[in-house]
Amino acid sequence: MEAHGGGLRRVLVLAFCVAGIWSAYIYQGVLQENVSTKRFDGERFEHLAFLNLAQNVVCLIWSFIMIKMWSSGNSGGAPWWSYWSAGITNTIGPAMGIEALKYISYPAQVLAKSSKMIPVMLMGTLVYGIRYTFPEYLCTFLVAGGVSTFALLKTSSKTISKLAHPNAPLGYGLCFLNLAFDGFTNATQDSLKARYPKTSAWDIMLGMNLWGTIYNMIYMFGWPRVSGFEAVRFCQQHPEAAWDIFLYCCCGAVGQNFIFLTISRFGSLANTTITTTRKFVSIVVSSLLSGNPLSTKQWGCVFMVFSGLSYQIYLKWQKLQRLQKKRKAV
């Protein structure tokens, strides 16, 4: 009975993480679209890379406050300097993802990035010797395949014609590099968690955003004629834009809190499954809000994705039950 209660609590925590990640990042996507497309007194905010720096700063402050509030002395977690390499890849990767949108459509980017779970598993196996089971690979391909197929069905010539600089090889190449960097980042986070089991979600959040702030500050303000100064000037001239960016960053702080909580409790594979499915849900919500009913094939993709996600939860439940039985036997 106690084992069942512990398993139920773990599933409830996972469901809480899913709800938190989905709600925070779906709303953040709405804000990002508003910032990038809205005209403020006739001017458009064109310095989207500044959003990464602003989010790093807000998340850094947030995690520092949480650690001071809830941590009691030295937690025994990973030292702050150990995140330097993951901080590099976590800074470069998203920047390449944003840059790719200049050359391929958003559905095409979702198509490419929906397989994010695969490089996470490959990097974990090749770099850190992590072993995954066949059912885990099956879950990954169900989710990635469903989102990919859905994204392909959503792609239209009208969407592609809106691109400023259509260049599919360059766009997909940037997405591939984005995935490679993300795979290294997530595998490194798993390795740090294994080496320092007492590392909390806020420890990870603080370390990643500390280095992200350092690297983005250098990129945005490190030499003349960079966009950081122009972005600050734009926010001073248009307070409404600054407020939207602040809300965007708050969503990022809440979302990152749930992401790192997921990583610390369930590992990066569970996190990438949730975040990839969140992109899929964003497309579904967008389709419903715009009054476009889903086709039979698209509903098939819905079933495929949520089957993979449900199967992964079931596998984690089974693994937990086996571990609890072994502990009870000892």
Side-chain angles (χ1 to χ4, degrees), residues 192-299:
L192 288 172
K193 179 62 180 175
R195 279 188 290 164
Y196 304 95
K198 293 184 179 180
T199 301
S200 69
W202 292 313
D203 290 330
I204 300 174
M205 191 174 180
L206 179 69
M208 295 296 294
N209 285 288
L210 172 63
W211 287 103
T213 299
I214 294 172
Y215 297 140
N216 276 307
M217 284 289 289
I218 295 173
Y219 173 72
M220 298 295 295
F221 298 98
W223 50 81
R225 296 187 178 181
V226 291
S227 59
F229 298 104
E230 296 178 7
V232 172
R233 191 178 304 112
F234 188 95
C235 291
Q236 290 175 338
Q237 295 174 351
H238 307 283
E240 185 181 355
W243 177 248
D244 285 344
I245 292 173
F246 175 71
L247 291 178
Y248 170 89
C249 295
C250 289
C251 287
V254 173
Q256 280 198 30
N257 198 71
F258 281 107
I259 280 179
F260 292 126
L261 176 61
T262 303
I263 292 172
S264 64
R265 292 291 186 90
F266 305 101
S268 63
L269 180 61
N271 172 62
T272 49
T273 302
I274 296 170
T275 53
T276 298
T277 309
R278 184 268 308 170
K279 296 176 184 177
F280 163 81
V281 172
S282 297
I283 298 176
V284 174
V285 170
S286 177
S287 299
L288 294 176
L289 290 179
S290 60
N292 297 321
L294 299 180
S295 66
T296 303
K297 292 181 179 178
Q298 289 171 327
W299 280 118

Side-chain angles (χ1 to χ4, degrees), residues 27-54:
Y27 184 52
Q28 188 185 46
V30 173
L31 290 169
Q32 183 180 25
E33 184 177 4
N34 187 50
V35 171
S36 61
T37 61
K38 184 178 179 180
R39 292 187 178 275
F40 301 92
D41 297 329
E43 295 185 74
R44 194 188 298 270
F45 184 78
E46 299 180 354
H47 316 289
L48 296 182
F50 182 75
L51 296 178
N52 291 332
L53 172 59

Side-chain angles (χ1 to χ4, degrees), residues 16 66 91 137 142 174 232 237 256 275 299:
F16 181 60
M66 291 297 102
T91 300
Y137 281 108
L142 279 173
L174 289 170
V232 172
Q237 295 174 351
Q256 280 198 30
T275 53
W299 280 118

